[in-house]
């Protein structure tokens, strides 16, 4: 029984580490895409690019089966959220307030 419990704990630990790795990968990609959007926006080509992405996602929504349609809707929603975040970063102060990050409950910052 002890070995079974240790095996379960090891599986949970591995799944937790994989989930953290996936979350970090997604967040890093979001940061990269946000930086690219800010750069493209300053150079003037952002609207065309955004419309192309939206058209592609909407085409997938129109062609998708019911299970895939909900996934495409999630993708479109996340894409729009990323755009909103990018627009907020562009219109607000882009400097990071380290003291504010440190004061957030449950959040830890790397130093």
């Amino acid at each position: 029984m002890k070995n079974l419990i240790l095996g379960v704990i090891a599986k949970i630990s591995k799944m937790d580490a994989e989930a953290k790795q996936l979350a970090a990968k997604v967040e890093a990609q979001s940061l990269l895409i946000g930086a690219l959007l800010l750069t493209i926006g300053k150079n003037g080509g952002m609207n065309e690019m955004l419309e192309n992405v939206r058209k592609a996602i909407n085409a997938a929504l129109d062609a998708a089966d019911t299970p895939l349609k909900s996934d495409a809707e999630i993708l479109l929603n996340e894409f729009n959220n990323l755009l909103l975040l990018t627009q907020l970063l562009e219109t607000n102060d882009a400097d990071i307030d380290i003291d504010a990050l440190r004061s957030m409950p449950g959040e830890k910052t790397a130093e």
Side-chain angles (χ1 to χ4, degrees):
M1 187 66 159
K2 180 180 173 184
N3 288 337
L4 178 63
I5 292 173
L6 289 174
V8 169
I9 291 172
K11 278 185 182 179
I12 291 171
S13 225
K14 182 180 179 189
M15 289 174 16
D16 186 46
E18 289 171 352
K20 286 179 183 178
Q21 183 67 32
L22 179 59
K25 190 179 290 186
V26 169
E27 291 299 326
Q29 290 172 349
S30 294
L31 288 170
L32 178 61
I33 290 169
L36 287 171
L37 289 174
L38 286 171
T39 302
I40 290 171
K42 290 178 183 174
N43 294 332
M46 188 160 104
N47 289 335
E48 182 179 339
M49 182 190 70
L50 297 180
E51 281 308 307
N52 288 336
V53 172
R54 282 195 178 111
K55 285 178 188 176
I57 294 173
N58 284 325
L61 276 170
D62 293 339
D65 294 340
T66 304
L68 295 178
K69 190 171 190 161
S70 65
D71 292 347
E73 288 170 350
I74 291 170
L75 179 63
L76 181 60
N77 188 34
E78 289 301 318
F79 179 75
N80 287 331
N81 287 341
L82 181 61
L83 291 178
L84 287 173
L85 178 62
T86 303
Q87 290 168 350
L88 285 173
L89 287 173
E90 189 173 15
T91 57
N92 293 314
D93 189 13
D95 292 333
I96 296 174
D97 185 353
I98 298 297
D99 293 329
L101 287 174
R102 287 186 180 138
S103 66
M104 291 177 67
E107 298 291 325
K108 294 183 180 181
T109 57
E111 294 191 40

